Amino acid sequence: VTLLKIYNGLLLRNSLVIDAVFKKAAELGFKDAIVGDGADELFGGYSFMWRVTDPVLWREKRDGMCAEWTFSTGELAAQHGIVPHSPYTEPSTVEWAIRHTEREDCIGTRPIRLSYGAEFNDLETGKIVLREAYQTVSSWRRKDPIEVGSGVTVIGHDPYWNDRVSDEEFARESEALRERGYVIDRKEQLVNFRVWESVFGKDGGGKVGMTRLGLGEGCVGCCFDIG
């Protein structure tokens, strides 16, 4: 929360996993790491992009997403003394992908394993251009979000936090925050928000790199100007 200046549960969950990997790598003496930032965005890795069936609209959405992407990898790696290297965000790679790949190159039905060692099933998947380029043990596994594959998704469920936040507390505090313009939909997010305000002050105290607008303005979940 302090490093990334956010309280969003999904982003923090994924970042916890990446941070743990960098921490372990540093303990093992590594100073550099190859990361996969940009691959899902460039080559249709996200399942919500599979549902965009019109090739022209798909390209528009893909190109727009890649033009605005941001990653927290550098900040997470730096605190462990590691330098991350991302081949998929290199300008030459991005330029090639944008110019030469279409939806049909990235998304289609292929034999996919739902778990390691399981039988193959014909399923829709993304990143086909990468899967076919790198024939490894994981090339044809199912695409899962980081939080699912790692198991950290458990902290997104309210029962995990019952010893820290009662149902009554959650109902009372989330309603009070709603009146301030914050939508807090789960206990995990409330815990994160408590930490966020304890570190940065009320409404971020002007220290989180974003401007908070009036009620009903900006982001519908927090009233910050997110562009």
Side-chain angles (χ1 to χ4, degrees):
V1 172
T2 303
L3 178 67
L4 302 182
K5 301 179 181 179
I6 60 174
Y7 59 87
N8 178 281
L10 175 61
L11 296 178
L12 287 173
R13 260 175 268 141
N14 288 338
S15 296
L16 281 172
V17 179
I18 300 303
D19 184 74
V21 172
F22 285 139
K23 181 176 183 292
K24 184 62 176 180
E27 291 173 353
L28 294 173
F30 290 100
K31 300 297 183 182
D32 296 84
I34 302 295
V35 300
D37 290 347
D40 284 315
E41 289 81 0
L42 280 173
F43 302 116
Y46 296 123
S47 58
F48 65 81
M49 289 296 285
W50 307 351
R51 296 189 288 271
V52 182
T53 56
D54 180 85
V56 175
L57 181 58
W58 185 88
R59 169 177 273 280
E60 290 178 359
K61 287 183 175 293
R62 189 272 303 272
D63 294 0
M65 183 165 49
C66 294
E68 298 179 358
W69 63 22
T70 59
F71 302 99
S72 59
T73 310
E75 298 156 280
L76 296 171
Q79 68 175 347
H80 297 291
I82 289 180
V83 177
H85 305 274
S86 176
Y88 303 115
T89 60
E90 286 291 325
S92 58
T93 304
V94 176
E95 181 183 0
W96 177 87
I98 295 296
R99 180 176 298 179
H100 296 290
T101 61
E102 305 290 344
R103 186 187 189 282
E104 64 181 11
D105 301 307
C106 302
I107 299 170
T109 300
R110 295 290 190 279
I112 296 294
R113 278 179 166 157
L114 299 183
S115 61
Y116 181 73
E119 295 183 359
F120 286 100
N121 294 279
D122 287 336
L123 298 172
E124 188 172 41
T125 191
K127 293 192 291 190
I128 289 177
V129 64
L130 294 183
R131 292 176 184 272
E132 292 180 342
Y134 301 105
Q135 291 291 347
T136 71
V137 67
S138 62
S139 294
W140 299 103
R141 69 172 179 83
R142 178 180 62 186
K143 158 67 179 175
D144 282 322
I146 294 173
E147 62 167 301
V148 174
S150 67
V152 77
T153 189
V154 67
I155 71 174
H157 303 314
D158 281 356
Y160 182 88
W161 301 100
N162 282 345
D163 61 337
R164 296 186 60 177
V165 181
S166 69
D167 293 343
E168 293 75 16
E169 281 181 287
F170 178 74
R172 182 176 64 253
E173 292 188 42
S174 61
E175 179 57 32
L177 288 169
R178 184 180 298 275
E179 293 176 0
R180 290 173 51 193
Y182 294 100
V183 177
I184 305 296
D185 61 1
R186 62 184 67 191
K187 292 181 179 180
E188 173 203 29
Q189 194 173 19
L190 177 59
V191 172
N192 293 340
F193 186 87
R194 287 173 173 176
V195 174
W196 183 78
E197 279 208 325
S198 71
V199 172
F200 299 109
K202 185 176 181 180
D203 295 331
K207 305 172 185 175
V208 295
M210 294 184 293
T211 301
R212 192 152 199 266
L213 306 176
L215 294 180
E217 299 180 75
C219 174
V220 296
C222 63
C223 297
F224 276 99
D225 182 2
I226 58 175

